[in-house]
Amino acid sequence: MFSSGAGDLFQLLRDGRPRTRSELVDETGLARTSVVNRLAALTAIGLVTPTGTAAASGGRPAARLMFDQASRVCIGIDLGATHGTVGVLNLSGDVLLQESRVIDIAKGPTEILTWAVDTAERLLAASGRQQRDLLGIGVGVPGPVEHSTGRPIRPPIMPGWDGFDIPAFVRRRLTATVLVDNDVNLLALGERATQWPAVDDLLFIKVSTGIGAGIILGGVLQRGSRGSAGDIGHVQVPGTANDRDLEATASAPAIAAYLSRDGAVNIEPGDVTNRIRMGDLTAIAAAREAGRAIGEVTAMCVSVLNPSVVVIGGQLGINVQEIIAGIREVVYRRSIPLANQHLNIVPARGGSDAGIRGAGLMVLDERLCAAAVDELIEQLD
């Protein structure tokens, strides 16, 4: 039997398809009075709105109702090691406005989050919205996060952020629910929603200043017991000198350090992609070898997790074909045949707004679930 709460009824309407009251009665098995009362509550909190009528064979046409995706908004904040993006999204996860800039995450939480909140307030006003329209705020950061508290835990490339209370800082000026997660988890959510909605088992690997993975199994993001699931950057790579970890072997800073090893030139991590595009044979070979190292760790993940799609993202993952070629070479050779028989290994296609979209989806999944919607109704009473 269909659960009788208004929040449960709302989950049917989240697909965006208009329905009449009679159609909802048929879908749920609830009494018509129950459906009418629950729709009234959902309308009162602005999540459901009338939208025309259905064709009728006789008598008055039946009114249709649908999820009002424009009734509120959420904010997505995507912070990487060297970039930041802030966006305003509607309740279906569509990006309405966004703004990006170069940042240095090592400058610490106060400076970076102040910029993010300033930008969020400006975009909220530009979209014609006020804080009372804000359902929640999602924040992605490039390091391990204890999701239950929103605090980074010993993030290796984020000096000054360890244990910092990100939700409390943001709520000083934006009074809404604040959720924080690792940026790769949010990229995984955004990529799946836009490019692979029918895929339940997906592994997203970001290759950039750092290396990490977002894991979706059975359609659910896997964070692990403390939020460190997918932290593959610190897995030791078999066969490397001194058993170096993956980030020390195959990240952009690692490749740049290798190219600068003789002291003749000083290659910055941000210059690696350009060196490869210019046809630097040493850089091309180094990128292919980095791809193979990532492939060694990815092969283990594929054998253990059995995803149907592996998405390679990040600046190097998207822009350097040698990276993904090296990954494919090793994964298809090293992982077990049953796991790779129908496996797709593809570059990310979610675009520059995948991170803020994922941050928004995290908020929507939390704040529009059945229990949260029932709570909104109780607050109205």
Side-chain angles (χ1 to χ4, degrees):
M1 172 63 70
F2 189 85
S3 180
S4 60
D8 290 291
L9 183 65
F10 174 69
Q11 301 311 305
L12 288 177
L13 294 165
R14 284 188 68 181
D15 64 5
R17 181 168 69 85
R19 292 170 172 86
T20 64
R21 292 172 176 83
S22 295
E23 288 171 337
L24 287 169
V25 168
D26 292 340
E27 285 190 57
T28 64
L30 294 172
R32 183 177 180 83
T33 301
S34 297
V35 169
V36 169
N37 290 339
R38 283 152 181 74
L39 286 173
L42 293 170
T43 301
I45 61 173
L47 292 180
V48 170
T49 187
T51 176
T53 58
S57 55
R60 294 176 58 188
R64 281 180 167 166
L65 298 102
M66 67 180 294
F67 173 28
D68 188 356
Q69 300 169 348
S71 61
R72 300 191 186 195
V73 293
C74 61
I75 288 172
I77 299 173
D78 175 29
L79 301 176
T82 59
H83 79 278
T85 303
V86 180
V88 177
L89 302 89
N90 65 16
L91 297 188
S92 63
D94 298 323
V95 179
L96 305 177
L97 289 172
Q98 65 175 299
E99 184 175 314
S100 300
R101 61 164 283 185
V102 173
I103 65 170
D104 180 1
I105 201 73
K107 288 187 175 179
T110 300
E111 178 174 337
I112 299 302
L113 290 175
T114 297
W115 165 78
V117 173
D118 286 345
T119 305
E121 288 182 333
R122 185 169 62 255
L123 293 178
L124 196 63
S127 64
R129 299 289 188 158
Q130 299 179 9
Q131 285 209 30
R132 65 170 179 264
D133 300 321
L134 192 54
L135 185 69
I137 302 158
V139 183
V141 296
V145 173
E146 187 176 52
H147 184 65
S148 60
T149 65
R151 296 172 184 263
I153 303 299
R154 299 180 65 182
I157 62 171
M158 299 172 62
W161 290 76
D162 184 28
F164 188 83
D165 192 344
I166 295 175
F169 185 95
V170 174
R171 283 197 299 264
R172 291 177 188 172
R173 290 167 55 188
L174 295 171
T175 53
T177 297
V178 180
L179 303 174
V180 187
D181 207 340
N182 182 278
D183 63 341
V184 188
N185 285 342
L186 302 185
L187 288 169
L189 288 175
E191 187 76 16
R192 177 177 180 253
T194 59
Q195 305 299 320
W196 303 94
V199 170
D200 286 335
D201 304 294
L202 178 146
L203 180 67
F204 187 103
I205 297 176
K206 179 183 178 182
V207 187
S208 190
T209 304
I211 299 175
I215 304 166
I216 296 176
L217 297 177
V220 179
L221 179 67
Q222 305 297 316
R223 296 186 174 93
S225 63
R226 293 290 304 278
S228 66
D231 188 11
I232 63 173
H234 299 97
V235 173
Q236 292 182 335
V237 181
T240 57
N242 301 318
D243 289 327
R244 290 181 300 168
D245 66 28
L246 189 56
E247 274 188 12
T249 303
S251 65
I255 297 173
Y258 175 78
L259 297 177
S260 307
R261 66 194 185 284
D262 61 5
V265 291
N266 181 32
I267 306 298
E268 295 293 330
D271 297 329
V272 170
T273 300
N274 288 334
R275 300 286 295 195
I276 293 167
R277 287 175 174 169
M278 290 165 52
D280 184 322
L281 296 180
T282 303
I284 291 171
R288 183 68 178 236
E289 197 58 35
R292 292 188 181 108
I294 299 167
E296 292 283 355
V297 175
T298 304
M300 291 185 268
C301 295
V302 167
S303 293
V304 171
L305 303 175
N306 191 203
S308 53
V309 177
V310 175
V311 180
I312 311 300
Q315 287 299 312
L316 289 184
I318 295 172
N319 297 313
V320 179
Q321 63 180 1
E322 287 78 11
I323 293 286
I324 196 168
I327 293 171
R328 286 172 173 155
E329 173 190 334
V330 175
V331 169
Y332 288 125
R333 186 177 74 244
R334 296 279 197 191
S335 57
I336 62 175
L338 184 60
N340 69 36
Q341 187 175 11
H342 300 292
L343 177 67
N344 289 310
I345 302 177
V346 298
R349 300 193 301 263
S352 60
D353 62 1
I356 55 172
R357 191 184 297 274
L361 291 172
M362 173 175 64
V363 171
L364 298 180
D365 286 346
E366 175 91 8
R367 299 290 290 136
L368 293 182
C369 71
V373 171
D374 287 337
E375 185 178 331
L376 285 173
I377 292 171
E378 290 176 6
Q379 291 172 357
L380 188 67
D381 295 337

